[in-house]
Amino acid sequence: NDSYGMKCRFYTAEILLNKKDYAGADKLFAEVEKNSFDKVLAEHGSYRRAEVFYLANQFDEAAQRFVSYRKKYPNGIYADSALYFNGESLKRLNKIDNAILCYEVLVQQFSKSTFKFSALAELVLLYKEKQEYEAALKTANQLMKENRQQALLSDMDSHIRDLEALTLDVNQRISELESKYQKAGEVKTVTG
C-alpha cells in the first residue's frame, strides 16, 4: 500500500481496460484515485474512471465522472479533455443544451486545446439541430477563420452555405411576420 503499489494498480487497471473488464478496471482506478502517495497518479486515476464508462458506452455514468474529475481538478492535465468527453456523453444522452454548454466552456477556457476544433464542429451541428442558425453560422465561420484547412476537410464550407440559406430564410420569415403583425394593428387589435 505504497506509491509502487499504486502504480501497479494503475497499470493493472489499464490491462483490465484493454481486456474490456470495465468493472475491474474501475475498481483499481478508484483505489489509485484515492491514494495520497502520488497526486499526479491520483488525477490520472480519476480521469481514467470517467473514460472507462465512456468506453463502455455508459454515458450517464461517464458524464457524472467527467463532472467529478472537473470539480476536483478544474485546471488539471485533462480538464479540456474532460469537458469535451463530458459534452460527447451528454450529446449521446440527447441532453443537447448541456452538451453545448460543455463545448462552449471548453472553447472559452481552453483556446489552445487540441479539442477546440472538434468542440466548435460539434457546436455547429448542435446549434443547427436546435435551429439556432445564426449561432451555427457564426461558429462555422470562426472554424474557417481559425483553421481553414481542417475546416475544408470536414466539409465546413457546405455547412456554411446551408446555414447562410437557412439564416436568410428565417430572417425573411421574421420580416414577413413582423409586417403582418404591424398591418394587423400590433397589440392594439385582436388580430395583431
Side-chain angles (χ1 to χ4, degrees), residues 60-72:
D60 193 39
E61 185 65 27
Q64 292 173 35
R65 297 278 176 97
F66 285 121
V67 168
S68 175
Y69 170 84
R70 288 176 30 229
K71 284 180 181 177
K72 284 183 187 174

Side-chain angles (χ1 to χ4, degrees), residues 167-190:
T167 302
L168 185 63
D169 288 346
V170 167
N171 289 338
Q172 189 174 11
R173 278 188 268 152
I174 289 172
S175 179
E176 289 169 2
L177 290 172
E178 192 173 307
S179 177
K180 281 183 182 179
Y181 173 65
Q182 289 172 347
K183 287 179 184 175
E186 298 178 348
V187 294
K188 298 173 188 163
T189 67
V190 174

Side-chain angles (χ1 to χ4, degrees), residues 110-122:
F110 300 96
S111 61
K112 304 262 189 256
S113 171
T114 56
F115 291 97
K116 183 180 178 186
F117 181 88
S118 297
L120 287 169
E122 289 296 334

Side-chain angles (χ1 to χ4, degrees), residues 48-115:
R48 293 297 279 161
R49 287 192 75 201
E51 260 189 343
V52 165
F53 285 93
Y54 183 83
L55 294 171
N57 295 325
Q58 295 179 21
F59 300 113
D60 193 39
E61 185 65 27
Q64 292 173 35
R65 297 278 176 97
F66 285 121
V67 168
S68 175
Y69 170 84
R70 288 176 30 229
K71 284 180 181 177
K72 284 183 187 174
Y73 308 100
N75 297 312
I77 300 167
Y78 303 109
D80 61 334
S81 178
L83 271 167
Y84 180 76
F85 286 106
N86 194 4
E88 286 291 296
S89 298
L90 292 165
K91 180 182 75 172
R92 291 173 188 237
L93 293 168
N94 207 29
K95 296 180 178 180
I96 303 303
D97 291 328
N98 293 342
I100 287 172
L101 184 61
C102 285
Y103 296 133
E104 287 175 340
V105 170
L106 188 156
V107 169
Q108 290 170 5
Q109 290 184 356
F110 300 96
S111 61
K112 304 262 189 256
S113 171
T114 56
F115 291 97

Side-chain angles (χ1 to χ4, degrees), residues 8-171:
C8 290
R9 283 179 180 83
F10 184 85
Y11 293 121
T12 303
E14 291 287 350
I15 292 167
L16 292 174
L17 186 58
N18 286 333
K19 294 172 96 177
K20 298 187 190 305
D21 179 356
Y22 300 116
D26 180 55
K27 181 180 177 219
L28 290 175
F29 282 134
E31 291 176 20
V32 171
E33 179 183 15
K34 291 175 186 165
N35 92 78
S36 59
F37 302 107
D38 186 340
K39 299 294 182 193
V40 173
L41 193 62
E43 180 181 346
H44 288 297
S46 178
Y47 179 78
R48 293 297 279 161
R49 287 192 75 201
E51 260 189 343
V52 165
F53 285 93
Y54 183 83
L55 294 171
N57 295 325
Q58 295 179 21
F59 300 113
D60 193 39
E61 185 65 27
Q64 292 173 35
R65 297 278 176 97
F66 285 121
V67 168
S68 175
Y69 170 84
R70 288 176 30 229
K71 284 180 181 177
K72 284 183 187 174
Y73 308 100
N75 297 312
I77 300 167
Y78 303 109
D80 61 334
S81 178
L83 271 167
Y84 180 76
F85 286 106
N86 194 4
E88 286 291 296
S89 298
L90 292 165
K91 180 182 75 172
R92 291 173 188 237
L93 293 168
N94 207 29
K95 296 180 178 180
I96 303 303
D97 291 328
N98 293 342
I100 287 172
L101 184 61
C102 285
Y103 296 133
E104 287 175 340
V105 170
L106 188 156
V107 169
Q108 290 170 5
Q109 290 184 356
F110 300 96
S111 61
K112 304 262 189 256
S113 171
T114 56
F115 291 97
K116 183 180 178 186
F117 181 88
S118 297
L120 287 169
E122 289 296 334
L123 282 171
V124 170
L125 299 175
L126 294 177
Y127 286 144
K128 188 175 178 182
E129 184 178 321
K130 289 189 65 182
Q131 299 180 350
E132 295 177 10
Y133 302 126
E134 288 184 20
L137 181 59
K138 181 180 173 187
T139 306
N141 284 327
Q142 179 183 351
L143 267 174
M144 287 295 278
K145 182 180 175 185
E146 291 179 8
N147 197 335
R148 186 169 180 77
Q149 285 299 105
Q150 195 173 357
L152 288 171
L153 288 173
S154 66
D155 206 26
M156 198 53 60
D157 53 335
S158 69
H159 285 295
I160 289 174
R161 284 192 299 274
D162 291 345
L163 290 166
E164 285 172 340
L166 288 167
T167 302
L168 185 63
D169 288 346
V170 167
N171 289 338

